[in-house]
Amino acid sequence: MRPFAAPAADRATAVGAEVLPRHVAIIMDGNGRWAKKRHLPRIAGHRQGIEAVRRVARAARALGIEALTLYAFSSENWRRPEEEVSDLMGLLRLFIRSDLEELVRDNVRLRIIGDYRRFTPDLVELLDNAVARTAVNDGPILVIALNYGAQAEIAAVARRMAERARDGLLDPSVIDETMFEGELETHDLPPLDLLIRTSGEVRLSNFLLWQAAYAELLFVDTLWPEFDGDTLAQAIAAFAQRQRRFGGL
């Protein structure tokens, strides 16, 4: 799979502001396969995945991307072995504690989407405090999807609207796409322009299903621990070559 057509020397500089995606989302896949190829435990792949998060978040800021959304823990990931889930939670704690000051210094707003309150109270408190610390920042947005599932998000919006209609607070006839979108967890983010999935898998895995309706999709073979700023720049260059018609001509 070779999705990048821009010459290597031009990838980082070829994209002008007029074609730079405002909002990029990434399904970070391949940590386990990265570790398996090296005969290492899966936790080693997850540790390298955290390093990739740092690299890519910094690169996104340098490129001028307004919002970066990372699929860190899906609502389906609870099905993994308990030890692996515990390791992932530990790495999340480590990332927040070690990187929060950098996010504050770089004027980054941290956002969490998903039902992360299912996590242990100490981790919920850590996440809440990190979001609060960066809430006054007005620079790029880093969104972490934790215990997130797009189908559950859409169902929750439908349920809230149905309850308001039942209580006479909402006329069902006025519900449209704009109103529905305004109830999503991402309602105050820029529209999703580019969704990337690493490791060669070609599916969305219950991630931002509504938001991705007109996003450009890019599936790359690179395993997430190997993803870096240059890989992101290549993806942006590929995005710049797409013609986005949004259903028109």
Side-chain angles (χ1 to χ4, degrees):
M1 188 180 303
R2 298 179 179 273
F4 305 131
D10 297 335
R11 284 167 185 158
T13 58
V15 181
E18 68 279 0
V19 291
L20 188 72
R22 297 179 63 198
H23 184 181
V24 176
I26 306 178
I27 300 173
M28 306 179 294
D29 195 16
N31 291 348
R33 272 165 283 178
W34 182 92
K36 184 177 181 180
K37 284 173 59 178
R38 291 159 177 79
H39 306 288
L40 296 171
R42 288 179 63 85
I43 184 61
H46 294 314
R47 290 194 186 104
Q48 288 302 311
I50 290 290
E51 292 301 320
V53 167
R54 293 190 177 102
R55 293 194 302 266
V56 172
R58 290 165 182 162
R61 297 199 289 273
L63 285 165
I65 294 169
E66 291 182 41
L68 174 67
T69 299
L70 302 176
Y71 204 9
F73 191 86
S74 77
S75 53
E76 290 78 23
N77 285 156
W78 293 108
R79 301 171 186 166
R80 295 188 177 189
E82 184 177 347
E83 182 180 1
E84 182 171 351
V85 171
S86 178
D87 287 339
L88 289 170
M89 296 301 106
L91 289 174
L92 178 58
R93 287 186 183 89
L94 180 62
F95 174 76
I96 295 297
R97 288 170 177 155
S98 62
D99 288 54
L100 179 58
E101 293 306 320
E102 178 180 329
L103 298 179
V104 171
R105 184 181 66 246
D106 287 356
N107 197 30
V108 176
R109 284 176 287 169
L110 179 66
R111 287 275 309 279
I112 308 294
I113 61 172
D115 184 18
Y116 70 95
R117 297 192 178 280
R118 183 178 169 183
F119 295 161
T120 58
D122 69 299
L123 182 51
V124 171
E125 182 179 8
L126 187 67
L127 292 167
D128 283 341
N129 289 340
V131 170
R133 281 282 310 280
T134 65
V136 297
N137 293 346
D138 58 4
I141 305 167
L142 175 62
V143 185
I144 308 294
L146 295 170
N147 195 25
Y148 174 85
Q151 291 176 330
E153 178 187 28
I154 292 169
V157 172
R159 186 163 52 249
R160 289 196 301 271
M161 286 187 163
E163 290 169 349
R164 292 205 295 270
R166 178 198 62 198
D167 296 338
L169 301 175
L170 176 64
D171 180 357
S173 68
V174 304
I175 297 174
D176 60 10
E177 294 91 335
T178 300
M179 179 181 290
F180 197 96
E181 189 168 303
E183 296 282 336
L184 296 171
E185 294 188 65
T186 55
H187 67 91
D188 55 349
L189 296 175
L192 181 60
D193 292 314
L194 173 62
L195 193 155
I196 304 166
R197 181 170 186 145
T198 62
S199 86
E201 301 292 346
V202 186
R203 56 181 177 272
L204 296 182
S205 294
N206 200 18
F207 184 50
L208 300 180
L209 298 180
W210 178 286
Q211 296 86 341
Y214 279 101
E216 295 296 315
L217 307 181
L218 192 60
F219 300 97
V220 301
D221 288 332
T222 307
L223 300 175
W224 176 246
E226 298 168 346
F227 204 95
D228 58 17
D230 184 61
T231 321
L232 179 63
Q234 294 174 43
I236 301 305
F239 170 84
Q241 296 174 15
R242 302 276 182 95
Q243 293 187 356
R244 306 183 74 198
R245 298 185 178 88
F246 301 97
L249 298 178

